[in-house]
Amino acid sequence: MAPKKGTKRAAEVAVAEPSEAKKMKETLQKYGVEKSIYDRVVEAIQFADDVPNSVRQMLIAMLPEGICVPADQRHEYQTTHVNMILELLQGVLSKLQDGVTSATGEVARIEACKAELLSKVQEAVEALEKANDVESSTKGNLADVTRTVLACKSTLAEKEKERCEGDAAHEAAKEDKLVIEQALAEEFRLLRDGEVEGEDAKAHYKKLEALAGKIGFEASLMTALPTSILKKPADRGSFDAMVVAQLQEGLGKRLAQLNETIQTGAPAAAHRLASVDQAKKDLEMSKLKQQEVADLYLSAKQVQKDCQGAKKAADTKVKQSEPDLKAAKKIQQEAENRLENYKTKNWSSFENLRDRTTSKEVEAAAAIEAAEAGA
């Protein structure tokens, strides 16, 4: 059976690999370099991912006979190799530092934004407190002017009632005066002068009797009146003439009383009218004030609502900034950890190899041999 192609080459590679590892181990022992330190320098070079991989692999391949050689035994090309690694690792260090600076700056930016948002929250709180005070104050003012409006309505109703009752008595006096004047000019005159008789006289007397009864003349006069006044003037005796005269005198006195009532009542009526007009004006002014304060209250309520919305929006923005700040701080911490790890492990390992001298190399080699012998 023919052997498979590549079998021999694979076997050679399998043999070569242990050989390379052994050679590397012997070289590190030769120069007293610990494998862990060597591996960290290799890792440090690999961090330079902005450098072509072929360049990195070249520098790594040169490590055993380059930086692993003590500083006081290096040839010029080996020193050049160390300087190339130094430049490369400084670039990595600078890049990691830039990452920390950038992350720190982002945290500072977000914290500044958050501080500004918190300031706006405080401003919103203060504005809301002021709006609440204004709303409460205008609400109290509105209650006060509303009570004033109700009081003005009550006063107007009272003044109108007083006017109505006072004017009713005044108008009644005017009407009574007119009735007496008409009675003196008509019924009393016609009966006194005997210008009517029979049924006409009786009809006129009925009207006059009703008026006399309303006025409230004495009963004796009311009893004698029909007999005396229905007689012809020529047929009346002295008693009849006296009765007629007393009626005329009584009507005249009542008329004089009514005239006095009307005259003295006119200023009172004018005062009552003025009081009603003033009460109407007061009510109108109180309503205008009520509307003015009501508008201020509605405005205060709207401002209060706007301030509540502004505070809620400000609180929301602060809350929304928290995840961004948390994420930025996480990135900052990771960047700081990468830089610190690089410094304490990779960079320090590089410096260890870069600065090693022969005496240190001998001591390190002896320590390695002792460790292997103990194993």
Side-chain angles (χ1 to χ4, degrees):
M1 181 176 179
K4 294 182 179 180
K5 293 181 179 180
T7 301
K8 183 177 180 182
R9 178 60 180 166
E12 291 175 352
V13 171
V15 173
E17 287 178 352
S19 176
E20 290 293 330
K22 183 177 180 181
K23 182 179 179 181
M24 173 64 69
K25 181 178 180 180
E26 291 174 349
T27 301
L28 295 179
Q29 288 178 343
K30 173 183 175 183
Y31 295 121
V33 176
E34 294 181 20
K35 182 67 165 55
S36 60
I37 294 178
Y38 172 83
D39 289 341
R40 287 171 185 169
V41 175
V42 172
E43 184 181 48
I45 295 172
Q46 294 290 22
F47 272 126
D49 52 9
D50 56 341
V51 174
N53 184 58
S54 58
V55 175
R56 284 179 282 152
Q57 294 305 317
M58 177 194 73
L59 293 174
I60 292 171
M62 295 171 64
L63 285 176
E65 295 298 336
I67 197 171
C68 289
V69 176
D72 56 343
Q73 296 183 24
R74 292 174 192 155
H75 296 293
E76 183 178 353
Y77 80 90
Q78 291 170 324
T79 301
T80 300
H81 172 253
V82 172
N83 291 334
M84 290 174 64
I85 296 175
L86 173 62
E87 182 179 353
L88 183 73
L89 299 193
Q90 284 178 332
V92 174
L93 188 64
S94 177
K95 185 177 179 181
L96 291 173
Q97 183 61 59
D98 289 344
V100 171
T101 301
S102 176
T104 302
E106 181 63 9
V107 170
R109 184 191 69 80
I110 295 175
E111 286 180 336
C113 290
K114 183 180 178 181
E116 183 178 353
L117 292 175
L118 289 172
S119 175
K120 289 183 178 180
V121 168
Q122 184 59 34
E123 290 176 0
V125 169
E126 293 174 357
L128 179 57
E129 290 176 351
K130 182 178 179 180
N132 288 338
D133 291 341
V134 173
E135 187 273 342
S136 179
S137 176
T138 53
K139 185 177 181 180
N141 292 340
L142 182 58
D144 290 340
V145 297
T146 299
R147 283 191 290 269
T148 300
V149 169
L150 294 176
C152 288
K153 286 183 177 180
S154 177
T155 299
L156 177 59
E158 181 181 344
K159 296 300 180 182
E160 287 180 334
K161 180 181 179 182
E162 291 176 357
R163 179 192 175 193
C164 183
E165 293 175 351
D167 287 357
H170 189 67
E171 292 300 320
K174 289 181 178 180
E175 292 177 2
D176 289 347
K177 176 189 174 186
L178 181 61
V179 170
I180 292 175
E181 288 176 339
Q182 289 176 346
L184 287 170
E186 294 292 332
E187 285 77 19
F188 177 76
R189 182 185 62 80
L190 291 174
L191 291 172
R192 182 195 62 188
D193 296 342
E195 295 182 8
V196 291
E197 58 184 27
E199 294 300 323
D200 287 341
K202 290 180 180 180
H204 284 293
Y205 175 74
K206 287 293 183 184
K207 293 181 181 181
L208 190 60
E209 182 184 38
L211 175 60
K214 182 178 179 182
I215 293 174
F217 289 133
E218 293 180 2
S220 58
L221 177 62
M222 295 300 296
T223 300
L225 184 59
T227 303
S228 299
I229 202 167
L230 288 174
K231 291 179 179 179
K232 289 288 186 178
D235 296 337
R236 294 174 190 155
S238 59
F239 178 77
D240 295 328
M242 182 190 68
V243 171
V244 173
Q246 286 182 351
L247 176 60
Q248 184 174 4
E249 182 182 358
L251 291 174
K253 287 183 178 180
R254 180 58 181 163
L255 186 59
Q257 291 174 351
L258 292 172
N259 280 328
E260 184 179 359
T261 298
I262 292 170
Q263 289 176 0
T264 57
H271 177 71
R272 288 191 295 270
L273 178 60
S275 296
V276 170
D277 289 341
Q278 185 60 49
K280 287 181 178 179
K281 290 179 181 179
D282 291 343
L283 177 59
E284 186 62 27
M285 290 299 295
S286 67
K287 284 183 176 179
L288 290 175
K289 184 63 176 179
Q290 182 187 42
Q291 185 60 53
E292 178 184 344
V293 176
D295 291 341
L296 290 175
Y297 176 66
L298 291 176
S299 177
K301 288 291 289 183
Q302 185 60 49
V303 171
Q304 182 187 50
K305 182 179 179 181
D306 293 343
C307 289
Q308 289 171 342
K311 181 180 180 301
K312 183 178 180 181
D315 287 336
T316 299
K317 288 183 178 180
V318 170
K319 186 176 181 180
Q320 290 174 343
S321 71
E322 291 296 339
D324 292 341
L325 180 58
K326 184 177 180 181
K329 286 185 175 181
K330 181 181 179 182
I331 292 173
Q332 179 190 32
Q333 187 61 53
E334 291 173 348
E336 290 175 347
N337 290 341
R338 283 194 296 270
L339 176 61
E340 184 62 22
N341 287 335
Y342 186 80
K343 286 181 176 180
T344 57
K345 295 180 180 179
N346 305 103
W347 181 260
S348 63
S349 294
F350 165 75
E351 288 182 326
N352 179 285
L353 294 182
R354 181 194 63 185
D355 300 335
R356 289 173 69 253
T357 60
T358 302
S359 60
K360 292 182 179 179
E361 174 264 328
V362 172
E363 292 175 359
I368 294 173
E369 289 179 359
E372 290 180 348

